[in-house]
Amino acid sequence: KPQGLKLLPGSVPHEFSSRRMAEKFRSKIGNSYAKKDIEDWQPRLKAELGDLKRVSANRQCFDCGAADVTWASPKLGTFLCVTCSDIHRAAGAHITCVKNFSTYLWSPDEVEMMRAVGNRRAKELYRRGASLSWQPQDSKERKVKLCTELYGSEAVQRAVQQNIAAATASGSSGSSGAAAAASAAAGYVAGADAAPVRKTQEGPNWLDDWTVPTVPLPVPTVPVTGDLLDWSTRSTPKPSPVVQHGDRQPMVAPASKPVDDLLDIFGDAPLAPGPVPSCGMQAEREKDFWDSVNWDELLG
């Protein structure tokens, strides 16, 4: 680092960044990838492996039948238990190889091998007619001997190489080779710059795509009847004939005038309030009443 230059917190030296980008990852079946790409693809690859482990034929160890499939042989495409993984490791990498599902990095070609083979197809390829490769109670020496004889045979190794070639070429085109196959197996497609680009989903994403034009819902047309009619358009009902003095003459009820015509009835003059009766006026009215009474007629 030149004197006088300080790295900002969280920054990465250019030499380290370039070296990190150039770091390679080699899969168990011989293909090479950029390690940064492998690390970026792990969530998708591990999710696909989880789906494969839930397949009924892959829920038990291929060799001994134990209900433990925490390990696998990417070279053979079989799901294994931890005990049998030690047997495969002892048989040698020239015959088989093992990998844990959780602690190891997985490459697209290895996942493709597990998908293309699996325990069901492996029975037809490696041990047709036999239910297990060895018994769980067998000694380790016997298991290693059986593993070497079974998977080290010329016929099995020929089938293994054919499966590896198919997994490597799966999805490849042109000169992209293994990289294109790996990207396709991991759910990526090659972009214009040959960098892996995530496949896009078909149709709009309703969670974040707000640019999709919406179609307005049709407004139903309901005929307006009864009380929903506009009062301004109602016609005045015709009067019914009324019998009067034996003659059948139509009598028309006087039309009620609107509020605006009240001025025609009361005129323009404002209504003057009348006098409010007082106690004196009430007493005078009572006096006039008693004076007008004819007492002689009432008492006579």
Side-chain angles (χ1 to χ4, degrees):
K1 181 180 69 173
Q3 272 191 334
L5 293 179
K6 294 183 178 181
L7 293 175
L8 296 175
S11 61
V12 179
H14 178 69
E15 294 83 358
F16 179 81
S17 177
S18 300
R19 186 166 61 252
R20 179 73 179 83
M21 294 294 293
E23 191 175 356
K24 295 295 183 180
F25 174 89
R26 188 171 182 83
S27 71
K28 291 285 188 179
I29 59 178
N31 294 312
S32 181
Y33 304 88
K35 188 173 183 180
K36 184 178 183 305
D37 292 340
I38 292 294
E39 293 172 347
D40 293 341
W41 296 342
Q42 287 310 291
R44 174 66 180 269
L45 295 175
K46 292 292 181 67
E48 187 173 350
L49 288 172
D51 293 339
L52 293 174
K53 287 173 63 179
R54 285 188 286 271
V55 176
S56 59
N58 300 334
R59 293 178 182 177
Q60 293 180 324
C61 175
F62 175 74
D63 290 322
C64 71
D68 167 30
V69 286
T70 53
W71 287 75
S73 172
K75 189 172 184 179
L76 301 175
T78 55
F79 294 78
L80 308 174
C81 67
V82 60
T83 303
C84 291
S85 69
D86 188 45
I87 303 302
H88 281 252
R89 190 181 293 109
H94 63 290
I95 295 176
T96 179
C97 61
V98 290
K99 211 169 201 182
N100 185 274
F101 283 115
S102 57
T103 58
Y104 283 76
L105 293 175
W106 282 75
S107 58
D109 56 343
E110 294 170 343
V111 176
E112 175 62 20
M113 274 290 293
M114 302 302 299
R115 187 200 64 77
V117 182
N119 288 359
R120 184 184 302 277
R121 185 162 179 256
K123 288 182 180 181
E124 303 175 0
L125 295 174
Y126 308 142
R127 61 160 200 255
R128 183 174 298 179
S131 58
L132 295 175
S133 303
W134 47 77
Q135 297 300 320
Q137 65 271 17
D138 291 342
S139 64
K140 181 176 180 180
E141 292 75 13
R142 175 169 173 76
K143 290 178 182 178
V144 172
K145 180 176 181 295
L146 292 174
C147 182
T148 304
E149 293 176 354
L150 177 61
Y151 300 116
S153 65
E154 183 180 353
V156 169
Q157 286 298 310
R158 184 167 54 250
V160 167
Q161 294 303 319
Q162 292 175 352
N163 291 332
I164 291 177
T168 302
S170 177
S172 64
S173 60
S175 61
S176 55
S183 300
Y188 294 81
V189 293
D193 54 354
V197 180
R198 176 82 64 176
K199 290 181 181 179
T200 58
Q201 63 179 11
E202 298 180 359
N205 185 352
W206 298 110
L207 296 179
D208 57 7
D209 190 356
W210 296 92
T211 61
V212 179
T214 57
V215 180
L217 295 176
V219 179
T221 304
V222 180
V224 180
T225 59
D227 294 338
L228 297 179
L229 286 172
D230 188 358
W231 288 95
S232 61
T233 60
R234 269 190 162 179
S235 59
T236 304
K238 296 181 180 180
S240 59
V242 179
V243 178
Q244 185 178 11
H245 302 294
D247 296 333
R248 196 173 185 82
Q249 298 292 337
M251 294 184 65
V252 180
S256 60
K257 291 190 175 183
V259 180
D260 296 340
D261 295 340
L262 291 178
L263 292 176
D264 297 340
I265 301 174
F266 297 100
D268 295 336
L271 298 176
V276 179
S278 62
C279 294
M281 294 175 63
Q282 183 71 19
E284 183 178 356
R285 288 179 182 176
E286 293 179 358
K287 181 177 179 299
D288 293 341
F289 171 75
W290 294 112
D291 291 342
S292 64
V293 173
N294 190 343
W295 296 101
D296 293 337
E297 293 180 0
L298 291 176
L299 299 176

